[in-house]
């Protein structure tokens, strides 16, 4: 089953836990006896049942009563996809989570409450900005708590109108943003279309996610081959391990390894130890080439021979800065570290509005557009084309200082 990561964004109390809790219930992931027991306990305490509490009991079971990580993930299956909802508390966790092998985390759900005093806040806007920077292309805005505004279309429309402009400023294309009115608590429009909002002509949340996940997968699967190489896995230096992040590979395919530019063709492919003729997007593979490649491949990229990434020493990038000074800079790209010769700030971007201004001031939690000159050339691509080759981490004096994406 394909696992699709969904980044969940939204301010505290807007209903993230309730949404996940009820999704788990609706997709039969919760033991009915346990559910009954939880409902009964709430009743005895004279409190209303909170579906979000299910998550806490799940976690306690898994982690023996200790909640170790602040980031929560929950798997929700639907048809042939298991959606993994990732709920991240702060921007550092969000960055860490999205950078750490969260490949194909290209869909986000933003929960905004329709309740009078619960509009969108700066922190949420910043998260949205980071998510966009890190490769989120498709955004589903779930306007929650519709039951508290009598399921009124006007209420939904007003929020939609207010947010559409701002989301566009953040760099999302209109066609990649979907709005759905929901009540996470009452389960409206989560898995099935709600009869409480007949005016809504779109699909329920899970269908929107499914449709977008399929679309993104097809697009990437049909693109040219890109494999992030981790190194050789045998003593003779012929079989290399890597992950296919774009396209597919077949025996005999002509490929090139970057940054070296070495070209050959694929002679053997192994997936989970078995000899295969082809491997598809998202697969961890071991590959041997017809000709011997004599240097280390760690951090290199294997690409389609005719359509390869470009080697660049100077890159224009959008950088989210977490520290106000950027001395002794290094970048980490595809798991290797490279020194930077210089960084020139071109524009300053307000991460709560997406607005670009002239100026070269550096401020933590803001973003800049900059030209970075590296010590040597790297096989970059625009993040629109291949997220994994279009983003990097920035370090200053050995400490994490920000993230960048190549435009
Ligand atoms: P989180 O902090 O984003 O995880 O928010 P929670 O899921 O904990 O929700 C905060 C409060 O809002 C809880 O008391 C929920 O029961 C309530 N809530 C969440 N979704 C809805 C909804 O659709 N309708 C109503 N009436 N209350 C909701």
């Amino acid at each position: 089953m394909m696992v699709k990561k969904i980044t969940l964004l939204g301010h505290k109390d807007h209903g993230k836990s309730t949404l996940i809790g009820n999704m788990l219930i609706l997709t039969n992931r919760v033991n009915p006896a346990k559910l009954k027991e939880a409902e009964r306990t709430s009743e005895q305490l004279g409190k209303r049942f909170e579906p979000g509490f299910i998550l806490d009991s799940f976690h306690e079971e898994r982690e023996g009563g200790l909640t170790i990580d602040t980031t929560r993930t929950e798997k929700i299956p639907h048809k042939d996809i298991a959606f993994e909802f990732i709920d991240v508390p702060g921007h550092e966790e969000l960055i860490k989570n999205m950078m750490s092998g969260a490949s194909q985390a290209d869909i986000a759900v933003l929960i905004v409450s329709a309740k009078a005093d619960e509009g969108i806040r700066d922190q949420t806007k910043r998260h949205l900005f980071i998510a966009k920077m890190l490769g989120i292309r498709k955004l589903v805005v779930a306007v929650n708590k519709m039951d508290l505004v009598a399921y009124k279309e006007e209420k939904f429309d007003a929020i939609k109108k207010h947010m559409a402009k701002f989301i566009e400023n953040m760099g999302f294309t209109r066609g990649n943003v979907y709005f759905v009115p929901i009540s996470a608590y009452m389960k409206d429009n989560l898995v099935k279309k709600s009869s409480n909002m007949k005016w809504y002509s779109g699909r329920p949340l899970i269908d929107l996610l499914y449709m977008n996940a399929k679309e993104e997968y097809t697009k990437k699967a049909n693109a040219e081959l890109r494999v992030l190489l981790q190194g050789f896995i045998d003593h003779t230096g012929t079989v290399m391990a890597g992950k296919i992040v774009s396209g597919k590979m077949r025996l005999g395919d002509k490929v090139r390894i970057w940054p070296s530019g070495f070209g050959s063709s694929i002679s053997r492919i192994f997936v989970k130890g078995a000899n295969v003729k082809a491997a598809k997007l998202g697969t961890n593979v071991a590959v041997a080439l017809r000709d011997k490649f004599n240097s280390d491949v760690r951090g290199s990229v294997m690409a389609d021979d005719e359509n390869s990434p470009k080697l660049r020493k100077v890159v224009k990038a959008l950088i989210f800065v977490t520290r106000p000074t950027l001395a002794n800079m290094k970048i980490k790209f595809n798991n290797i570290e490279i020194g930077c010769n210089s960084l020139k700030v071109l524009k300053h971007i307000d991460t709560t509005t997406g607005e670009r201004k002239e100026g070269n001031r550096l401020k933590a939690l803001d973003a800049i557009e900059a030209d970075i000159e590296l010590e040597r050339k790297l096989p970059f691509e625009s993040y629109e084309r291949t997220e994994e080759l279009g983003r990097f981490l920035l370090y200053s004096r050995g400490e994490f200082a920000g993230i960048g994406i190549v435009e």
Side-chain angles (χ1 to χ4, degrees), residues 59-110:
H59 279 263
E60 273 165 27
E61 257 168 48
R62 247 180 267 158
E63 282 148 12
L66 290 169
T67 308
I68 304 159
D69 199 348
T70 41
T71 300
R72 290 189 303 210
T73 67
E74 238 31 92
K75 280 210 179 84
I76 292 162
H78 182 68
K79 295 181 187 168
D80 55 342
I81 299 183
F83 289 108
E84 187 173 343
F85 281 79
I86 307 168
D87 180 10
V88 280
H91 69 266
E92 293 233 350
E93 289 91 344
L94 179 62
I95 294 171
K96 238 175 26 200
N97 209 283
M98 294 193 72
M99 297 295 297
S100 62
S103 141
Q104 292 171 45
D106 38 28
I107 303 178
V109 172
L110 169 63

Side-chain angles (χ1 to χ4, degrees), residues 11-18 48 50 72 144-145 147-148 183-186:
H11 203 269
K12 194 179 163 316
D13 288 340
H14 283 213
K16 291 196 279 185
S17 323
T18 309
R48 79 168 187 166
E50 290 286 353
R72 290 189 303 210
N144 192 27
K145 308 197 185 181
D147 57 304
L148 295 181
S183 167
Y185 194 84
M186 305 301 288

Side-chain angles (χ1 to χ4, degrees), residues 75-273:
K75 280 210 179 84
I76 292 162
H78 182 68
K79 295 181 187 168
D80 55 342
I81 299 183
F83 289 108
E84 187 173 343
F85 281 79
I86 307 168
D87 180 10
V88 280
H91 69 266
E92 293 233 350
E93 289 91 344
L94 179 62
I95 294 171
K96 238 175 26 200
N97 209 283
M98 294 193 72
M99 297 295 297
S100 62
S103 141
Q104 292 171 45
D106 38 28
I107 303 178
V109 172
L110 169 63
I111 301 197
V112 190
S113 169
K115 206 173 151 189
D117 52 346
E118 294 185 342
I120 184 168
R121 315 271 171 86
D122 278 0
Q123 189 198 336
T124 309
K125 291 178 180 177
R126 210 164 258 142
H127 280 188
L128 191 61
F129 186 87
I130 298 169
K132 174 70 179 88
M133 276 189 68
L134 288 172
I136 298 284
R137 264 184 285 261
K138 307 252 186 182
L139 179 70
V140 177
V141 184
V143 179
N144 192 27
K145 308 197 185 181
M146 286 300 292
D147 57 304
L148 295 181
V149 293
Y151 296 110
K152 284 223 167 67
E153 185 177 9
E154 304 87 79
K155 212 58 215 175
F156 173 70
D157 281 345
I159 292 173
K160 186 172 162 181
K161 201 171 152 207
H162 172 75
M163 295 202 52
K165 184 81 205 128
F166 148 77
I167 288 172
E168 239 172 85
N169 283 345
M170 289 275 171
F172 289 92
T173 359
R174 201 166 268 212
N176 283 340
V177 185
Y178 302 79
F179 287 87
V180 54
I182 64 166
S183 167
Y185 194 84
M186 305 301 288
K187 305 182 180 132
D188 293 290
N189 283 336
L190 299 188
V191 172
K192 284 205 183 88
K193 273 204 80 162
S194 161
S195 56
N196 290 323
M197 291 175 275
K198 294 220 171 70
W199 46 264
Y200 171 66
S201 58
R203 302 166 194 241
L205 180 65
I206 198 97
D207 283 356
L208 285 175
L209 296 178
Y210 186 80
M211 179 187 83
N212 281 310
K214 285 279 176 182
E215 250 177 59
E216 283 294 298
Y217 184 85
T218 308
K219 203 170 111 195
K220 271 196 193 159
N222 290 332
E224 291 89 7
L225 178 71
R226 300 288 185 263
V227 186
L228 302 186
L229 296 173
Q230 285 131 22
F232 287 110
I233 53 168
D234 63 336
H235 298 307
T236 57
T238 43
V239 184
M240 46 191 101
K243 181 172 186 183
I244 305 179
V245 296
S246 150
K248 56 182 168 303
M249 65 164 66
R250 281 162 307 204
L251 287 177
D253 278 355
K254 287 205 167 120
V255 293
R256 222 163 259 284
I257 292 177
W258 298 99
S260 89
F262 173 84
S264 185
S265 60
I266 295 177
S267 61
R268 277 178 296 160
I269 307 171
F270 302 92
V271 176
K272 289 186 182 143

Side-chain angles (χ1 to χ4, degrees), residues 387-404:
E387 291 129 57
E388 294 83 357
L389 299 179
R391 64 185 179 205
F392 56 82
L393 296 176
L394 198 60
Y395 291 85
S396 168
R397 295 203 174 99
E399 290 200 51
F400 179 68
I403 46 157

